[in-house]
């Protein structure tokens, strides 16, 4: 039987002190709610999840408008029990319901499968032991070790606060039981809210079995209520992602100083220096080295590529054995063939560069097609934009572009051509010849002397 997932995401997230709704805050580059939606999809792909929204509902709807979700609104956020009640009219009475929280992003499929494997008349809930249970509902058991109720932090006595078994806020039970209990929840508690956790009391009173299931790993139930918890979860998740890559043969100079905000697919013997950020989908070929303080976004590196310090690669494809940087910027549409060298303060955009070509110093290459074994001298600029439109520069194989050349596009440089330093090229250049634009004659001024250095404080009279 397909399980109906309900995700609670209507709360204001007051403790975040933010205009952005809590479930849209990012964890490893992805909104919190997206994690919960992804695990829900894996668990119950046949049924659209119901997401209960309230605070800033339109923004959340818009963010996830591409996904199959049944949104339900809770116009006033009167508590978690009230939130689930809003979903009930949209749930078939014979369904088994899994309740998840939008602010508990790392809950694993394994734990949820434990919780949902038996669809019976029991109330199934996850439990976990936390060294620091502060902020979580505590699980109260009787002498027979049966769960009798959940006590919220704000309602707990000093003794009850010492309980380290906590409520992850994730339950699975029949719609029939929810329909029976939810309307009876009252607000007699420290927060004057309709607590969903009261269903545990009702189950106990009605002799419905309360079946607890240990979570796979206690950390996965960590909830995000404030920014400190978000930062804590971020570090935990980052370390998990890094450990996975290390197990696949990637070395990190410091596993605590790297950020993966997307997916990194790496071959063996890749080394990553400190403070590297990966965003989107990044592929790293065997033996690549990523220098410190670099950012790689949606980029593919072949084998043995070396990225030197402080480089930014965004939407680039880099073939085997290229070296990039330090301080290089590759922008979307950059495609480098093997053994290309891109040096410091070089920006490349929407351009192809052929095998063994070098652009080593202070250049801008935009909308260009550069052949093989080309040497682009320091300070070369493709003038690709006329203020209205972008134009293309085509540079043939084995050309030599002298330093400080401006290539005013559209323009084509013939194979084997040499361009003298300081040229402004506005017309196509013939193959295999030296082309040079008009230079101001060089003069030497005879008998010129450098002025003498003035004494400190001396004033020159007119
Ligand atoms: C809740 C549980 C607590 C548990 C903890 C686990 C209750 C009363 N308490 O506490 O036992 O240990 O989660 O993380 O259930 N929400 C709504 N509508 C509302 C109120 C909340 O949709 O009216 C949503 C929130 O957006 C959030 C989730 O429900 O995603 C949990 O609410 P929150 O206020 O964070 O509850 P906790 O205090 O964390
Ligand atoms: Ca919470």
């Amino acid at each position: 039987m397909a399980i109906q997932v309900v995700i609670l995401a209507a709360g204001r997230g007051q403790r975040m002190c933010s205009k952005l709704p809590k479930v849209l805050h990012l964890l490893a580059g992805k909104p919190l709610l997206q994690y919960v939606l992804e695990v829900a999809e894996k668990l119950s792909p046949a049924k659209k999840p119901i997401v209960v929204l309230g605070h800033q509902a339109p923004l959340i709807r818009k963010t996830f408008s591409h996904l199959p979700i049944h949104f339900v609104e809770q116009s006033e956020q009167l508590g978690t029990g009230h939130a689930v009640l809003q979903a009930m009219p949209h749930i078939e009475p014979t369904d088994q319901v899994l309740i998840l929280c939008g602010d508990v992003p790392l809950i694993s499929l394994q734990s949820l499968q434990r919780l949902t494997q038996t669809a019976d008349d029991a109330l199934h809930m996850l439990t976990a032991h936390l060294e620091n249970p502060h902020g979580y509902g505590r699980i109260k058991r009787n002498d027979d070790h049966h769960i009798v109720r959940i006590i919220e932090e704000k309602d707990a006595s000093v003794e009850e606060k010492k309980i380290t078994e906590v409520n992850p806020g994730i339950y699975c039970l029949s719609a029939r039981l929810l329909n029976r209990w939810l309307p009876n929840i009252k607000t007699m508690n420290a927060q004057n809210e309709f607590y969903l956790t009261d269903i545990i009391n009702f189950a106990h009173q009605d002799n419905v079995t309360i079946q607890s299931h240990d979570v796979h790993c206690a950390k996965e139930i960590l909830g995000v209520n404030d920014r400190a918890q978000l930062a804590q979860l971020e570090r935990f998740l980052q370390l998990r992602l890094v450990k996975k890559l290390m197990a696949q043969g990637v070395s990190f100079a410091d596993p605590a100083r790297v950020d993966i905000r997307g997916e990194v697919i790496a071959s063996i013997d890749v080394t990553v220096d400190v403070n590297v950020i990966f965003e989107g989908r990044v592929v790293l070929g065997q033996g690549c080295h990523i220098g410190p303080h670099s950012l790689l976004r949606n980029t593919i590196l072949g084998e043995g590529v070396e990225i030197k310090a402080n480089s930014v690669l965004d939407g680039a494809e880099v073939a085997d054995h290229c070296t990039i940087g330090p301080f290089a910027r590759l922008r979307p549409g950059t495609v480098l063939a093997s053994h290309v060298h891109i040096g410091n303060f070089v920006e490349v955009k929407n351009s192809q560069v052929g095998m063994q070509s070098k652009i080593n110093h202070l250049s801008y290459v935009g909308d260009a097609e550069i052949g093989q074994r080309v040497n682009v001298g320091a300070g070369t600029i493709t003038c690709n934009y006329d203020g209205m439109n972008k134009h293309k520069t085509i540079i043939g194989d084995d050309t030599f572009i002298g330093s400080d050349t401006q290539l005013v596009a559209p323009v084509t440089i013939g194979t084997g051509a040499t361009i003298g330093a300081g040229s402004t090229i506005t017309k196509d250049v013939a193959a295999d010849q030296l082309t040079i634009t008009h230079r101001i004659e060089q003069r030497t001024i005879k008998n010129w002397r450098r002025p003498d250095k003035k004494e400190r404080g001396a004033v020159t009279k007119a």
Side-chain angles (χ1 to χ4, degrees):
M1 183 181 54
I3 286 179
Q4 177 63 62
V5 178
V6 175
I7 303 170
L8 306 185
R12 260 188 68 195
Q14 208 163 0
R15 289 165 279 181
M16 294 297 282
C17 297
S18 175
K19 282 194 172 169
L20 194 68
K22 176 164 72 179
V23 294
L24 292 188
H25 277 262
L26 302 181
L27 177 68
K30 232 165 39 176
L32 295 177
L33 182 57
Q34 196 173 322
Y35 289 87
V36 188
L37 288 166
E38 281 170 10
V39 76
E41 153 78 21
K42 283 192 194 129
L43 189 89
S44 185
K47 265 198 173 182
K48 275 191 199 179
I50 295 179
V51 176
V52 183
L53 294 181
H55 181 67
Q56 294 218 32
L59 182 59
I60 300 174
R61 272 176 192 269
K62 201 173 141 209
T63 308
F64 297 102
S65 58
H66 57 292
L67 296 177
I69 298 172
H70 185 157
F71 290 107
V72 168
E73 295 217 10
Q74 181 195 23
S75 50
E76 268 187 295
Q77 286 79 63
L78 302 178
T80 46
H82 182 257
V84 179
L85 189 61
Q86 310 312 302
M88 293 319 293
H90 309 278
I91 296 176
E92 286 171 43
T94 53
D95 272 356
Q96 192 70 4
V97 183
L98 171 67
I99 301 169
L100 302 175
C101 287
D103 65 349
V104 182
L106 296 186
I107 193 70
S108 71
L109 184 62
Q110 276 155 300
S111 295
L112 295 181
Q113 279 166 342
R114 283 181 196 173
L115 192 66
T116 53
Q117 65 198 0
T118 42
D120 51 18
D121 283 338
L123 186 166
H124 296 267
M125 65 179 288
L126 286 179
T127 59
H129 286 272
L130 289 183
E131 260 173 52
N132 174 14
H134 181 81
Y136 291 88
R138 308 297 205 284
I139 292 184
K140 182 127 184 172
R141 293 183 184 259
N142 64 14
D143 294 340
D144 301 329
H145 206 62
H146 290 137
I147 297 176
V148 289
R149 65 190 190 102
I150 291 165
I151 309 145
E152 291 304 295
E153 173 88 26
K154 286 187 177 146
D155 301 294
S157 66
V158 177
E159 273 310 301
E160 288 164 340
K161 280 184 184 154
K162 289 182 187 156
I163 300 172
T164 55
E165 192 181 14
V166 302
N167 169 32
I170 293 170
Y171 324 85
C172 184
L173 67 162
S174 66
R176 187 179 56 78
L177 289 174
L178 282 169
N179 280 321
R180 188 199 308 172
W181 294 330
L182 289 176
N184 299 329
I185 295 177
K186 302 282 184 300
T187 58
M188 284 175 305
N189 53 56
Q191 303 186 78
N192 278 316
E193 283 184 4
F194 294 95
Y195 286 172
L196 177 60
T197 44
D198 283 0
I199 61 174
I200 310 298
N201 296 353
F202 291 131
H204 184 61
Q205 285 163 20
D206 291 359
N207 283 322
V208 170
T209 308
I210 303 168
Q211 183 69 55
S212 66
H213 303 263
D214 284 337
V215 285
H216 182 64
C217 150
K219 288 253 166 77
E220 71 186 56
I221 66 129
L222 293 178
V224 175
N225 296 313
D226 56 35
R227 291 176 194 255
Q229 286 173 326
L230 180 60
Q232 190 193 357
L233 214 59
E234 178 80 34
R235 280 303 108 208
F236 166 70
L237 179 56
Q238 288 301 336
L239 200 58
R240 199 161 84 178
L241 296 170
V242 166
K243 278 182 181 165
K244 201 170 152 196
L245 286 167
M246 290 196 288
Q248 293 166 5
V250 179
S251 282
F252 291 88
D254 181 356
R257 280 185 291 166
V258 60
D259 283 272
I260 299 170
R261 300 170 189 156
E263 188 191 7
V264 175
I265 301 148
S267 284
I268 57 168
D269 295 325
V270 169
T271 54
V272 180
D273 213 324
V274 298
N275 296 334
V276 173
I277 299 174
F278 297 101
E279 291 183 357
R281 185 173 183 275
V282 176
V283 179
L284 307 172
Q286 187 174 333
C288 284
H289 173 70
I290 317 297
H293 313 288
S294 293
L295 167 66
L296 278 75
R297 179 188 299 133
N298 298 323
T299 282
I300 300 173
L301 305 186
E303 288 184 9
V305 172
E306 184 175 8
I307 309 292
K308 295 180 182 169
N310 294 294
S311 296
V312 177
L313 286 79
D314 181 3
E317 266 178 55
V318 178
D320 300 350
H321 306 295
C322 289
T323 66
I324 315 290
F327 296 98
R329 181 177 183 207
L330 304 187
R331 292 170 53 198
T334 296
V335 179
L336 308 182
S338 67
H339 296 91
V340 165
H341 288 200
I342 303 289
N344 40 208
F345 307 106
V346 172
E347 174 181 350
V348 184
K349 183 214 80 170
N350 188 33
S351 297
Q352 290 110 56
V353 182
M355 250 169 58
Q356 293 174 25
S357 289
K358 292 178 180 157
I359 313 169
N360 269 331
H361 323 271
L362 300 148
S363 289
Y364 171 61
V365 172
D367 305 305
E369 251 173 54
I370 299 181
Q372 303 182 3
R373 298 171 301 278
V374 173
N375 190 87
V376 177
T380 297
I381 295 170
T382 54
C383 308
N384 60 328
Y385 186 49
D386 61 13
M388 283 297 166
N389 297 300
K390 299 277 170 69
H391 303 281
K392 204 160 182 178
T393 301
I394 297 172
I395 300 176
D397 293 345
D398 301 297
T399 49
F400 179 94
I401 315 292
S403 296
D404 193 25
T405 294
Q406 295 104 57
L407 300 159
V408 182
V411 71
T412 298
I413 314 299
T415 305
T418 299
I419 296 176
S423 296
T424 301
I425 303 296
T426 52
K427 289 184 285 198
D428 288 356
V429 166
D432 299 316
Q433 295 186 33
L434 172 66
T435 298
I436 191 161
T437 55
H438 182 67
R439 286 176 169 172
I440 293 170
E441 193 190 336
Q442 185 169 319
R443 288 194 302 157
T444 301
I445 316 285
K446 278 189 185 144
N447 301 326
W448 177 87
R449 274 191 61 207
R450 281 190 194 159
D452 294 329
K453 191 167 175 83
K454 284 184 206 126
E455 272 175 44
R456 211 176 256 272
V459 181
T460 329
K461 284 188 187 142

